Structure formats: C-alpha cells, structure tokens
Amino acid sequence: MKILVATEKPFAAVAVKGIREVIEAAGAELVLLEKYTEKAQLLTAVADIDGIIIRSDKVDAEVLDAAKQLKIVVRAGAGYDNIDLAEATAKGVCVMNTPGQNSNAVAELAIGMMIYMSRNNFTPGTGCELSGKKLGIIGFGNIGQLVAKKALGLGMKVLVLAPNPSEKHQGWETVATIDELYSKCNFVSVNIPATPETKGMIGYDLLTKMPKGGCLINTARKEIICEEGLNKALAERADLKYATDIAPVAYAELKEKYGKQIFATPKKQGAETGEA
Ligand code: 3PG
C-alpha cells in the first residue's frame, strides 16, 4: 500500500518523520512529493497511490480521476474547501481532516496580527494597546475559542456571535447579530470555514460599521471577504485595517493603495509551527 504526502508547502521535518514511522509500522510505503510547482507533478504522483495526505493542496476532480487506486484523502488541517467532496463521494473516496490540530498555532497568529496592526506594522509612530479593547469573534469553534481565551488574558473584552456557545460564562459576552458585533468591536477575528454560505459575507457594509481604527483579522480563508467591499471600505476610511493569513487576489494593488492599512503574510503561516 502506498501513501503519498503531497505538500506544496512542506510539513516540518519532525512531522514527516512521525508520519513515516506510522506508515511504515503499518507495512505501507511513504511517497513524498514536497514543494511541487506544477499540478502535472501531483497528477503523476497520485497514479498508483492508495492514500494521500495534503495541506492546502487542491484535490479536485482531475486529481481524483488520475488517482485510480485512491481510497482516502486526509487534509492535515481545518476544513475541506480544497477537496472536491462531491467527486470524492461519487468515487467512494473517504475524506478526513484533523480539526483542532492547528488551532493553537492559528490562534496565536491571530493575536500576533492584532499586535502588529495596532503597532503601526512595527514601524515608528504611536499605536494602541489591546488591553481594554473589544474583540469580536466570528466562528466559535476550536480556533475561535482559543483566540477568545488568549485575548481575555491580554485584558480585551470578547464578544461572540454564537447562538449556542458550547462553553458558557467564560468571560465573554454574546451578541445577537453580526451587525451588533461589528458596530461594537475594535477588532474582529474571522474563524469560520469557507462554505457557499460564508463566501463573500464580510464586505463594505460590515467593515464600515466598525468604530474608528477598526481592524479585521482573517486567519480563515480569503474567500470569506468580499474584496470589492474591502477595497471600497479601505478607500473611504483611512482608519480601517485588514490583516490576513491568505492574501487577497489583488493584494499587490491593495498594498500599493493602502500601505500599512493592509497586511498579508507572504505564505500562509497559521499552521507553520513545529507543534502544529
Ligand atoms: C488550515 O487551513 O487548516 C491551516 O491554516 C493549515 O493550512 P496549511 O497546512 O495549508 O498551512
């Protein structure tokens, strides 16, 4: 049995070592395809494999077609938005992910981004402190809850949009509507998956509800933000800020126009820790 680890952005060496040990102990063979640059390389590599482990790598219908023996896809991370689930289901291929595994790493990055944005992108000038500010959390799953706990530790007030929070009375307030959350919060952290319902849901109307100096932190998926609305909001309000772990499609242009108002990591950093 052959298991392919296909990572355009490689795992930490310690993770590959661990995966190899598990696979070999089960009598299977590990095939490693790291830092590939062309989809053709992935299509060739999947030809005779039984299982595939990926990160944000795309497993679409073409990849599934090329992988004639494939039985399982494991996405090391949150969400399934990079996998064609309908096609996998039609072909009887099982799809799994690892919710929670990267959560702390992503939550720490969200906090880091808040500090970076509130301190002038670490350039000279007067910034602001997080203590006493209001942080709204969109998406109260593994990552959202960890962001909330860390923010409370920094002295922030945390507002959560969650009709049924799984944990109660942990120091955060619940708000009834997304509009209320944006209107009240100095920072908003986006921690929801990209689904047909969430794609493009945050745009001009919500962003411009934020108080002066409002800052949106997105460690989820770029598709959740309506880029046109973001562009319009940043143009109209020089006080608004946006930091993201996945660059908008038109990032170069937005960066040129809005400078320190916008920041995107050069390559998705959320899960880039040895621990994750
Ligand atoms: C996620 O989306 O689950 C994490 O951010 C990990 O993504 P990555 O493995 O592509 O870095």
Side-chain angles (χ1 to χ4, degrees), residues 28-65:
E29 184 189 337
L30 173 86
V31 182
L32 202 53
L33 176 68
E34 290 182 322
K35 295 188 187 171
Y36 61 94
T37 49
E38 306 295 332
K39 188 178 185 183
Q41 295 170 268
L42 180 62
L43 293 175
T44 305
V46 296
D48 62 346
I49 52 121
D50 301 279
I52 178 167
I53 299 173
I54 50 166
R55 298 185 67 163
S56 293
D57 308 78
K58 293 209 170 16
V59 173
D60 59 12
E62 200 183 353
V63 175
L64 289 163
D65 262 346

Tab-separated table of all heavy atoms in Angstrom, residues 28-65:
chain	number	residue	atom	x	y	z
A	28	ALA	N	3.130	-0.067	5.183
A	28	ALA	CA	2.867	0.660	3.936
A	28	ALA	C	4.113	1.465	3.533
A	28	ALA	O	5.083	1.544	4.283
A	28	ALA	CB	1.673	1.577	4.127
A	29	GLU	N	4.037	2.035	2.348
A	29	GLU	CA	5.185	2.805	1.838
A	29	GLU	C	4.823	4.292	1.775
A	29	GLU	O	3.716	4.631	1.322
A	29	GLU	CB	5.508	2.288	0.426
A	29	GLU	CG	6.741	2.916	-0.195
A	29	GLU	CD	6.882	2.539	-1.688
A	29	GLU	OE1	6.318	1.490	-2.087
A	29	GLU	OE2	7.495	3.306	-2.423
A	30	LEU	N	5.754	5.120	2.225
A	30	LEU	CA	5.523	6.571	2.140
A	30	LEU	C	6.149	7.117	0.860
A	30	LEU	O	7.310	6.849	0.568
A	30	LEU	CB	6.153	7.280	3.342
A	30	LEU	CG	6.122	8.801	3.267
A	30	LEU	CD1	4.820	9.350	3.803
A	30	LEU	CD2	7.272	9.432	4.012
A	31	VAL	N	5.371	7.868	0.113
A	31	VAL	CA	5.900	8.559	-1.075
A	31	VAL	C	5.787	10.051	-0.773
A	31	VAL	O	4.723	10.528	-0.358
A	31	VAL	CB	5.070	8.218	-2.341
A	31	VAL	CG1	5.672	8.900	-3.563
A	31	VAL	CG2	4.965	6.714	-2.535
A	32	LEU	N	6.896	10.760	-0.965
A	32	LEU	CA	6.923	12.173	-0.584
A	32	LEU	C	7.008	13.074	-1.816
A	32	LEU	O	7.916	12.924	-2.636
A	32	LEU	CB	8.165	12.382	0.306
A	32	LEU	CG	8.210	13.558	1.258
A	32	LEU	CD1	6.997	13.623	2.160
A	32	LEU	CD2	9.499	13.482	2.092
A	33	LEU	N	6.048	13.976	-1.937
A	33	LEU	CA	6.118	14.983	-3.014
A	33	LEU	C	6.012	16.349	-2.345
A	33	LEU	O	4.932	16.808	-1.989
A	33	LEU	CB	4.961	14.784	-4.009
A	33	LEU	CG	4.868	15.832	-5.119
A	33	LEU	CD1	6.041	15.729	-6.091
A	33	LEU	CD2	3.544	15.707	-5.882
A	34	GLU	N	7.173	16.968	-2.158
A	34	GLU	CA	7.190	18.263	-1.465
A	34	GLU	C	7.565	19.378	-2.432
A	34	GLU	O	8.298	19.152	-3.396
A	34	GLU	CB	8.217	18.237	-0.322
A	34	GLU	CG	7.789	17.354	0.839
A	34	GLU	CD	8.800	17.372	1.977
A	34	GLU	OE1	10.008	17.401	1.712
A	34	GLU	OE2	8.348	17.352	3.136
A	35	LYS	N	7.097	20.571	-2.140
A	35	LYS	CA	7.459	21.774	-2.915
A	35	LYS	C	7.220	21.609	-4.404
A	35	LYS	O	8.022	22.089	-5.213
A	35	LYS	CB	8.934	22.131	-2.683
A	35	LYS	CG	9.252	22.545	-1.266
A	35	LYS	CD	10.684	23.050	-1.219
A	35	LYS	CE	11.115	23.320	0.202
A	35	LYS	NZ	12.498	23.616	0.379
A	36	TYR	N	6.183	20.891	-4.781
A	36	TYR	CA	5.937	20.757	-6.216
A	36	TYR	C	5.397	22.088	-6.751
A	36	TYR	O	4.770	22.852	-6.029
A	36	TYR	CB	4.993	19.581	-6.509
A	36	TYR	CG	3.617	19.687	-5.903
A	36	TYR	CD1	2.555	20.220	-6.628
A	36	TYR	CD2	3.362	19.275	-4.591
A	36	TYR	CE1	1.294	20.334	-6.075
A	36	TYR	CE2	2.103	19.383	-4.034
A	36	TYR	CZ	1.076	19.914	-4.772
A	36	TYR	OH	-0.170	20.042	-4.222
A	37	THR	N	5.688	22.333	-7.998
A	37	THR	CA	5.311	23.638	-8.552
A	37	THR	C	4.255	23.517	-9.649
A	37	THR	O	3.594	24.492	-9.987
A	37	THR	CB	6.557	24.349	-9.119
A	37	THR	OG1	7.245	23.418	-9.960
A	37	THR	CG2	7.490	24.826	-8.023
A	38	GLU	N	4.109	22.310	-10.200
A	38	GLU	CA	3.142	22.112	-11.286
A	38	GLU	C	2.120	21.064	-10.875
A	38	GLU	O	2.483	20.054	-10.271
A	38	GLU	CB	3.848	21.597	-12.552
A	38	GLU	CG	5.010	22.434	-13.040
A	38	GLU	CD	4.581	23.811	-13.510
A	38	GLU	OE1	3.422	23.939	-13.956
A	38	GLU	OE2	5.392	24.748	-13.384
A	39	LYS	N	0.893	21.276	-11.284
A	39	LYS	CA	-0.150	20.293	-10.999
A	39	LYS	C	0.187	18.942	-11.641
A	39	LYS	O	-0.125	17.874	-11.111
A	39	LYS	CB	-1.491	20.808	-11.524
A	39	LYS	CG	-2.649	19.947	-11.115
A	39	LYS	CD	-3.951	20.528	-11.610
A	39	LYS	CE	-5.136	19.732	-11.112
A	39	LYS	NZ	-6.401	20.252	-11.659
A	40	ALA	N	0.881	18.998	-12.793
A	40	ALA	CA	1.245	17.765	-13.505
A	40	ALA	C	2.051	16.831	-12.599
A	40	ALA	O	1.910	15.603	-12.677
A	40	ALA	CB	2.043	18.113	-14.758
A	41	GLN	N	2.883	17.409	-11.722
A	41	GLN	CA	3.690	16.581	-10.817
A	41	GLN	C	2.776	15.811	-9.852
A	41	GLN	O	2.995	14.647	-9.557
A	41	GLN	CB	4.656	17.457	-10.015
A	41	GLN	CG	5.706	18.142	-10.859
A	41	GLN	CD	6.461	19.181	-10.012
A	41	GLN	OE1	6.092	20.353	-9.978
A	41	GLN	NE2	7.494	18.740	-9.334
A	42	LEU	N	1.730	16.481	-9.399
A	42	LEU	CA	0.781	15.843	-8.485
A	42	LEU	C	0.003	14.752	-9.234
A	42	LEU	O	-0.179	13.640	-8.726
A	42	LEU	CB	-0.168	16.904	-7.904
A	42	LEU	CG	-1.227	16.416	-6.930
A	42	LEU	CD1	-0.595	15.788	-5.677
A	42	LEU	CD2	-2.138	17.570	-6.487
A	43	LEU	N	-0.403	15.070	-10.464
A	43	LEU	CA	-1.176	14.096	-11.255
A	43	LEU	C	-0.356	12.829	-11.496
A	43	LEU	O	-0.884	11.718	-11.427
A	43	LEU	CB	-1.619	14.724	-12.579
A	43	LEU	CG	-2.636	15.862	-12.456
A	43	LEU	CD1	-2.917	16.497	-13.816
A	43	LEU	CD2	-3.944	15.378	-11.823
A	44	THR	N	0.937	12.973	-11.724
A	44	THR	CA	1.804	11.799	-11.928
A	44	THR	C	1.960	11.036	-10.617
A	44	THR	O	1.859	9.812	-10.586
A	44	THR	CB	3.203	12.269	-12.444
A	44	THR	OG1	2.988	13.051	-13.606
A	44	THR	CG2	4.115	11.101	-12.748
A	45	ALA	N	2.177	11.786	-9.537
A	45	ALA	CA	2.451	11.143	-8.246
A	45	ALA	C	1.266	10.337	-7.715
A	45	ALA	O	1.444	9.361	-6.976
A	45	ALA	CB	2.865	12.195	-7.229
A	46	VAL	N	0.038	10.732	-8.063
A	46	VAL	CA	-1.134	10.049	-7.487
A	46	VAL	C	-1.522	8.774	-8.251
A	46	VAL	O	-2.389	8.026	-7.804
A	46	VAL	CB	-2.391	10.969	-7.410
A	46	VAL	CG1	-2.157	12.127	-6.467
A	46	VAL	CG2	-2.840	11.453	-8.773
A	47	ALA	N	-0.841	8.517	-9.383
A	47	ALA	CA	-1.269	7.431	-10.282
A	47	ALA	C	-1.485	6.091	-9.564
A	47	ALA	O	-2.470	5.409	-9.846
A	47	ALA	CB	-0.270	7.281	-11.414
A	48	ASP	N	-0.570	5.716	-8.662
A	48	ASP	CA	-0.691	4.371	-8.058
A	48	ASP	C	-0.746	4.409	-6.533
A	48	ASP	O	-0.279	3.512	-5.861
A	48	ASP	CB	0.482	3.500	-8.520
A	48	ASP	CG	1.820	4.077	-8.061
A	48	ASP	OD1	1.858	5.262	-7.639
A	48	ASP	OD2	2.830	3.350	-8.102
A	49	ILE	N	-1.306	5.485	-5.971
A	49	ILE	CA	-1.319	5.569	-4.507
A	49	ILE	C	-2.710	5.196	-3.944
A	49	ILE	O	-3.724	5.343	-4.603
A	49	ILE	CB	-0.894	6.965	-4.000
A	49	ILE	CG1	-1.708	8.067	-4.687
A	49	ILE	CG2	0.583	7.221	-4.221
A	49	ILE	CD1	-2.430	8.874	-3.738
A	50	ASP	N	-2.676	4.702	-2.696
A	50	ASP	CA	-3.925	4.269	-2.039
A	50	ASP	C	-4.488	5.355	-1.135
A	50	ASP	O	-5.692	5.442	-0.909
A	50	ASP	CB	-3.636	3.018	-1.199
A	50	ASP	CG	-3.090	1.894	-2.056
A	50	ASP	OD1	-3.887	1.213	-2.705
A	50	ASP	OD2	-1.845	1.746	-2.133
A	51	GLY	N	-3.572	6.168	-0.582
A	51	GLY	CA	-3.998	7.241	0.312
A	51	GLY	C	-3.164	8.483	0.059
A	51	GLY	O	-2.044	8.396	-0.450
A	52	ILE	N	-3.707	9.627	0.380
A	52	ILE	CA	-2.950	10.881	0.181
A	52	ILE	C	-3.155	11.797	1.390
A	52	ILE	O	-4.269	11.925	1.896
A	52	ILE	CB	-3.348	11.575	-1.157
A	52	ILE	CG1	-2.596	12.894	-1.350
A	52	ILE	CG2	-4.840	11.810	-1.266
A	52	ILE	CD1	-2.710	13.454	-2.768
A	53	ILE	N	-2.057	12.363	1.844
A	53	ILE	CA	-2.101	13.341	2.943
A	53	ILE	C	-1.696	14.687	2.339
A	53	ILE	O	-0.673	14.782	1.664
A	53	ILE	CB	-1.125	12.950	4.075
A	53	ILE	CG1	-1.522	11.581	4.661
A	53	ILE	CG2	-1.099	14.020	5.165
A	53	ILE	CD1	-0.519	11.015	5.669
A	54	ILE	N	-2.523	15.696	2.576
A	54	ILE	CA	-2.271	17.018	1.986
A	54	ILE	C	-2.402	18.119	3.036
A	54	ILE	O	-2.903	17.870	4.141
A	54	ILE	CB	-3.283	17.318	0.841
A	54	ILE	CG1	-4.717	17.052	1.332
A	54	ILE	CG2	-2.951	16.529	-0.403
A	54	ILE	CD1	-5.790	17.614	0.449
A	55	ARG	N	-2.019	19.333	2.644
A	55	ARG	CA	-2.278	20.530	3.460
A	55	ARG	C	-3.354	21.332	2.717
A	55	ARG	O	-4.457	20.846	2.553
A	55	ARG	CB	-0.986	21.333	3.662
A	55	ARG	CG	0.067	20.548	4.414
A	55	ARG	CD	1.290	21.370	4.719
A	55	ARG	NE	1.010	22.444	5.671
A	55	ARG	CZ	1.928	23.109	6.351
A	55	ARG	NH1	3.220	22.821	6.190
A	55	ARG	NH2	1.593	24.069	7.179
A	56	SER	N	-2.994	22.516	2.224
A	56	SER	CA	-3.989	23.276	1.441
A	56	SER	C	-3.953	22.873	-0.034
A	56	SER	O	-4.575	23.535	-0.877
A	56	SER	CB	-3.747	24.775	1.583
A	56	SER	OG	-4.006	25.178	2.907
A	57	ASP	N	-3.215	21.836	-0.338
A	57	ASP	CA	-3.095	21.339	-1.719
A	57	ASP	C	-4.474	20.965	-2.265
A	57	ASP	O	-5.289	20.394	-1.542
A	57	ASP	CB	-2.168	20.115	-1.714
A	57	ASP	CG	-0.861	20.421	-1.021
A	57	ASP	OD1	-0.843	20.432	0.246
A	57	ASP	OD2	0.104	20.705	-1.706
A	58	LYS	N	-4.689	21.259	-3.532
A	58	LYS	CA	-6.028	21.030	-4.106
A	58	LYS	C	-6.179	19.610	-4.639
A	58	LYS	O	-5.382	19.162	-5.463
A	58	LYS	CB	-6.286	22.025	-5.233
A	58	LYS	CG	-6.384	23.437	-4.706
A	58	LYS	CD	-7.288	24.310	-5.549
A	58	LYS	CE	-7.588	25.649	-4.902
A	58	LYS	NZ	-6.764	26.091	-3.821
A	59	VAL	N	-7.214	18.945	-4.156
A	59	VAL	CA	-7.559	17.631	-4.700
A	59	VAL	C	-8.903	17.813	-5.405
A	59	VAL	O	-9.966	17.756	-4.788
A	59	VAL	CB	-7.605	16.554	-3.586
A	59	VAL	CG1	-8.137	15.240	-4.125
A	59	VAL	CG2	-6.205	16.344	-3.015
A	60	ASP	N	-8.804	18.081	-6.696
A	60	ASP	CA	-10.023	18.332	-7.473
A	60	ASP	C	-10.386	17.104	-8.314
A	60	ASP	O	-9.754	16.046	-8.185
A	60	ASP	CB	-9.841	19.581	-8.342
A	60	ASP	CG	-8.670	19.447	-9.311
A	60	ASP	OD1	-8.148	18.321	-9.477
A	60	ASP	OD2	-8.282	20.466	-9.902
A	61	ALA	N	-11.357	17.247	-9.176
A	61	ALA	CA	-11.839	16.107	-9.965
A	61	ALA	C	-10.717	15.512	-10.819
A	61	ALA	O	-10.614	14.287	-10.955
A	61	ALA	CB	-12.996	16.572	-10.845
A	62	GLU	N	-9.848	16.379	-11.346
A	62	GLU	CA	-8.757	15.887	-12.199
A	62	GLU	C	-7.785	15.007	-11.396
A	62	GLU	O	-7.353	13.951	-11.858
A	62	GLU	CB	-8.025	17.101	-12.796
A	62	GLU	CG	-7.224	16.780	-14.027
A	62	GLU	CD	-6.442	17.977	-14.559
A	62	GLU	OE1	-6.621	19.100	-14.036
A	62	GLU	OE2	-5.659	17.777	-15.479
A	63	VAL	N	-7.477	15.462	-10.187
A	63	VAL	CA	-6.572	14.683	-9.333
A	63	VAL	C	-7.249	13.358	-8.955
A	63	VAL	O	-6.640	12.287	-9.018
A	63	VAL	CB	-6.181	15.488	-8.060
A	63	VAL	CG1	-5.346	14.646	-7.112
A	63	VAL	CG2	-5.445	16.765	-8.447
A	64	LEU	N	-8.516	13.433	-8.602
A	64	LEU	CA	-9.249	12.216	-8.210
A	64	LEU	C	-9.343	11.236	-9.386
A	64	LEU	O	-9.253	10.022	-9.210
A	64	LEU	CB	-10.646	12.587	-7.679
A	64	LEU	CG	-10.640	13.287	-6.311
A	64	LEU	CD1	-11.981	13.979	-6.051
A	64	LEU	CD2	-10.334	12.317	-5.172
A	65	ASP	N	-9.480	11.764	-10.577
A	65	ASP	CA	-9.532	10.921	-11.780
A	65	ASP	C	-8.214	10.212	-12.025
A	65	ASP	O	-8.176	9.063	-12.435
A	65	ASP	CB	-9.827	11.791	-13.015
A	65	ASP	CG	-11.295	11.751	-13.374
A	65	ASP	OD1	-11.990	10.873	-12.842
A	65	ASP	OD2	-11.717	12.610	-14.177
